[in-house]
Amino acid sequence: MAFEDPGEAMLSKLKILLILAALLVGWPQIILRFESLIAPEFQFFGLASCTMLLGICLVGIFSAAFIPVAAIRWSFALLISLAGIMVETYQSSVEDHMPYDAFISMINASGSLHEAWGQYASAIMIGGGQALLLFFGIGLSIHHVTKKHSKKLIAAPLLILFVLAGILFVRGGDGARGLPTAYTGAAYAMLYGYERSTEVIKPRELVKLPVVKPFNGDGDIVMVVDESISGQYLDINSSRGVYSGLMAPKTGVTAHNFGLAVSIAHCSAAVNMTLRHGGTRDDYVRINGSMPSIWAYAQKAGFETVYIDVPRTHRIFNNLMDKSELKNIDQWIEFDDVPVQRRDYVSADALAGFLNDGKRQFIYLQKIGAHFPIHDKYPDEFMRYKPALPRGQFLNISDTGDREGFSGSKESWITYRNSYRNTLIWNVGAFFDRLLSKADLAGSTIIYTSDHGQNLHERGGTGVVTHCSPDPKPEEGLVPLVVLDTPQTAGQPGAIDWDAAIAQGKDKSSHFQIFSTVLELMGYDPKAVQAIYGTDLLAVDDAPFAFNYQFNARLGRTPSWKEIRLDEIAWPPAGDFRPVPAGQRQQAIAVRPSMGSPMRASVVTGTK
Ligand SMILES: [Zn+2]
């Protein structure tokens, strides 16, 4: 570019500096994105397309800065810098990428802006600061006006915005990770405008269904949602499974085992969002986004609502929860001061407290379970399966997408599976032992499941991904499903005959049936409930035994279903741990006697 006088060159430099400073504010997320594409696995295609997208966004921003027509330049500066504020604010407060879902949640919560200011003032100032830098960087006058490239300079930034929005549309809102927040925000806003105008997203409805009769009497209704627990690793589902505390619970409590169930999806947020809002295989985007939450239903049916979030602390939202959902939660329990290793165990005490307090409550307990990293998720005395992963590095991490510290080699997967077993004995077995030794279940019902299963590379092969993978293994959707109650509950008029439900639903049920069941337990009319939310656990779900691995199926994307064939799943390999000499049984392992299901036993031997 040729400049006419030194003053103008200075101004151009200033503009470039302002823009670079704005980009620097959002730099951490860009770096993180590129790091994730380089290690642990080098993803050539991902890296190339991310670099290209970042490149064209930069071209867009710098072209805009040199649009000769002041009015157009300033308008674009205003649009793009405003659009970035929300994304940058979000990203600097949670230190993670802002997905499209979160953008919508934030717009919906914009009514409580003054509260947000109190809580996130510093992040908002970062977002605002970046916007100011970008606004002046793009907008400031360029004295020397040459009309030579005028049309190109105007067209480029807009064209790039449309291209980006188009890519995000095709990918269901996904794909802006690591891009300049201004462009991400502007593209998100376009997609949001489209969805609002086509009525996919509507303001959340109030509860309209009538409460007809409480199935559950005066007891509590509890959902215990575990994290990353594969159904086939527990003793209730496999003769080689580890201790779950659910085979023979204390006298008076019955564990009705639905066997291996299929999850909604294979990522935590998608599953928990749908467990909390309902949804059918064909109609979950609308129901997730527009229908009442489970808390709203519980409150209308006269329950106090309690959310126990074990993985997160210090009021950080988990699994797509937001401010507006919180309005229907009476008590939000977290364990800020309890070490990660003890938190599930301590949550058993908290839950027992609610079960014993004589109040009618709906409780949703989100556990830590066995998400990566699992090296240190259990106490030393629970190291019953060896060799296990090295200890001592991950004591303070509840869950992370980062796989640092784990190579993913064939040998390391053997130690991973043993650590996983040890973690299950502690975070499932000892959890239920503790809960059931303290809680009086009279009249209450607990539904236990996990958000998704795990691919622990039982078939061999390397890699570090356990779930949420783009090309999932069937085990990523295989979860336990157990209902706990007391004979007293079973005897109550209108109580659910779980044995009959299991007789037809064992190894065939899905997460999708839980929401309807819980609403019916609360007293909502089954017919009306099922018309919206589908089959409950009392009937056979005749949909394919499959989970959705493209849950984010809005805009241009449709769901993809992974069917699980139970005769083809990988069972936990027996060769992972050394057999323990008879005399040393106590410190060592191991496998509980088979529950003696002939069908299960034959499946186990058949797939070895
Ligand atoms: Zn999960």
Side-chain angles (χ1 to χ4, degrees):
M1 221 170 287
F3 299 109
E4 267 189 357
D5 60 67
E8 186 174 332
M10 280 278 286
L11 196 61
S12 291
K13 273 184 198 154
L14 175 67
K15 281 166 70 72
I16 291 171
L17 275 176
L18 286 171
I19 294 172
L20 287 178
L23 292 170
L24 209 63
V25 174
W27 205 241
Q29 285 307 316
I30 300 180
I31 299 279
L32 271 181
R33 177 59 181 151
F34 277 89
E35 275 177 359
S36 76
L37 291 167
I38 292 166
E41 277 159 79
F42 187 84
Q43 299 167 50
F44 178 78
F45 181 75
L47 197 64
S49 45
C50 194
T51 310
M52 209 171 77
L53 268 181
L54 178 60
I56 66 164
C57 288
L58 295 181
V59 168
I61 290 171
F62 283 104
S63 316
F66 292 94
I67 292 173
V69 189
I72 298 179
R73 193 176 63 246
W74 279 110
S75 309
F76 191 81
L78 185 68
L79 168 95
I80 200 114
S81 51
L82 279 179
I85 293 183
M86 216 151 87
V87 181
E88 188 58 47
T89 299
Y90 177 93
Q91 294 190 166
S92 45
S93 71
V94 305
E95 291 178 15
D96 199 357
H97 163 68
M98 181 185 217
Y100 177 55
D101 288 338
F103 180 85
I104 294 171
S105 299
M106 209 154 154
I107 289 184
N108 292 340
S110 55
S112 47
L113 210 64
H114 57 289
E115 292 166 51
W117 176 254
Q119 215 174 339
Y120 306 108
S122 58
I124 295 173
M125 275 158 73
I126 293 174
Q130 185 190 47
L132 273 179
L133 289 167
L134 199 60
F135 179 65
F136 287 110
I138 295 176
L140 276 180
S141 124
I142 38 171
H143 292 306
H144 172 70
V145 174
T146 155
K147 300 266 182 204
K148 205 173 153 201
H149 299 295
S150 180
K151 278 183 189 154
K152 280 183 210 158
L153 288 171
I154 293 171
L158 289 172
L159 200 67
I160 287 165
L161 177 58
F162 279 102
V163 168
L164 180 61
I167 291 173
L168 299 185
F169 178 87
V170 173
R171 304 197 51 194
D174 221 21
R177 194 178 283 267
L179 298 181
T181 48
Y183 258 112
T184 304
Y188 280 174
M190 279 176 75
L191 298 183
Y192 179 75
Y194 168 81
E195 285 200 297
R196 273 314 284 262
S197 65
T198 53
E199 288 248 303
V200 175
I201 302 173
K202 279 181 278 187
R204 204 169 278 289
E205 277 181 23
L206 298 171
V207 175
K208 286 179 191 154
L209 296 179
V211 181
V212 288
K213 94 184 138 181
F215 263 152
N216 196 250
D218 287 335
D220 292 353
I221 298 169
V222 183
M223 288 174 71
V224 175
V225 182
D226 223 323
E227 169 63 75
S228 298
I229 306 298
S230 273
Q232 75 276 29
Y233 272 79
L234 298 179
D235 57 2
I236 47 169
N237 294 321
S238 160
S239 58
R240 284 208 299 276
V242 303
Y243 181 71
S244 67
L246 294 168
M247 282 276 277
K250 71 164 187 182
T251 335
V253 175
T254 314
H256 309 278
N257 180 20
F258 278 84
L260 296 173
V262 65
S263 60
I264 289 164
H266 65 330
C267 305
S268 317
V271 173
N272 276 283
M273 181 73 184
T274 309
L275 288 174
R276 300 197 312 262
H277 294 88
T280 63
R281 286 181 174 82
D282 301 322
D283 192 13
Y284 67 87
V285 175
R286 180 189 66 90
I287 293 177
N288 268 195
S290 312
M291 296 292 286
S293 69
I294 200 150
W295 318 103
Y297 279 110
Q299 282 185 334
K300 185 171 175 206
F303 291 80
E304 186 192 0
T305 54
V306 181
Y307 172 46
I308 306 177
D309 184 13
V310 189
R312 298 285 172 271
T313 53
H314 299 99
R315 293 299 187 242
I316 290 177
F317 286 128
N318 196 5
N319 291 329
L320 303 177
M321 188 172 278
D322 59 30
K323 271 233 149 94
S324 61
E325 188 174 338
L326 216 53
K327 283 184 193 136
N328 293 106
I329 298 177
D330 297 315
Q331 291 196 56
W332 179 8
I333 312 292
E334 288 177 326
F335 305 96
D336 289 357
D337 304 320
V338 181
V340 169
Q341 196 184 78
R342 289 195 58 81
R343 262 193 240 152
D344 265 1
Y345 195 70
V346 167
S347 76
D349 287 355
L351 177 53
F354 288 115
L355 284 162
N356 296 344
D357 66 3
K359 293 181 196 157
R360 193 161 177 253
Q361 287 149 331
F362 168 74
I363 304 146
Y364 190 106
L365 168 57
Q366 164 77 67
K367 284 178 80 258
I368 281 188
H371 196 287
F372 187 93
I374 53 169
H375 307 55
D376 300 308
K377 283 247 154 70
Y378 55 92
D380 290 339
E381 58 270 32
F382 282 76
M383 197 192 273
R384 315 240 175 112
Y385 292 88
K386 293 180 204 174
L389 291 166
R391 310 263 289 164
Q393 290 177 63
F394 297 100
L395 276 157
N396 300 318
I397 306 175
S398 69
D399 54 282
T400 171
D402 191 356
R403 291 293 183 268
E404 208 178 310
F406 179 64
S407 76
S409 69
K410 195 163 180 271
E411 294 69 35
S412 68
W413 275 113
I414 294 176
T415 53
Y416 195 102
R417 289 192 291 267
N418 284 334
S419 286
Y420 186 75
R421 292 174 170 99
N422 297 331
T423 302
L424 298 189
I425 307 176
W426 171 240
N427 272 352
V428 181
F431 167 85
F432 277 112
D433 280 353
R434 179 76 174 180
L435 174 68
L436 297 177
S437 73
K438 295 219 144 188
D440 177 10
L441 250 62
S444 299
T445 304
I446 299 175
I447 298 179
Y448 171 68
T449 191
S450 170
D451 54 355
H452 48 75
Q454 295 276 275
N455 166 19
L456 299 181
H457 296 248
E458 295 87 351
R459 295 182 171 85
T462 54
V464 294
V465 177
T466 54
H467 61 280
C468 218
S469 49
D471 181 20
K473 291 279 183 284
E475 296 79 22
E476 293 179 41
L478 216 48
V479 292
L481 178 56
V482 179
V483 175
L484 294 151
D485 67 357
T486 58
Q488 200 184 334
T489 332
Q492 280 174 353
I496 287 175
D497 184 352
W498 292 111
D499 292 331
I502 282 166
Q504 52 180 356
K506 190 160 190 190
D507 294 332
K508 287 181 201 146
S509 300
S510 91
H511 271 169
F512 283 105
Q513 294 165 271
I514 295 177
F515 196 84
S516 296
T517 310
V518 171
L519 256 50
E520 290 167 26
L521 281 168
M522 288 173 182
Y524 289 93
D525 175 39
K527 246 189 159 169
V529 165
Q530 289 174 36
I532 303 169
Y533 297 105
T535 324
D536 61 15
L537 282 169
L538 281 64
V540 176
D541 183 3
D542 46 21
F545 198 66
F547 62 94
N548 183 357
Y549 64 97
Q550 193 137 276
F551 183 84
N552 195 8
R554 62 199 323 155
L555 302 164
R557 249 186 186 179
T558 50
S560 301
W561 297 95
K562 176 79 183 176
E563 186 155 3
I564 305 178
R565 294 178 51 96
L566 284 178
D567 53 356
E568 288 174 0
I569 61 168
W571 289 85
D576 285 347
F577 44 90
R578 294 182 228 104
V580 177
Q584 297 173 14
R585 281 240 141 190
Q586 260 130 321
Q587 316 100 335
I589 47 138
V591 184
R592 306 253 307 175
S594 162
M595 63 185 284
S597 150
M599 179 250 168
R600 181 61 49 225
S602 74
V603 170
V604 172
T605 44
T607 52
K608 174 69 178 70

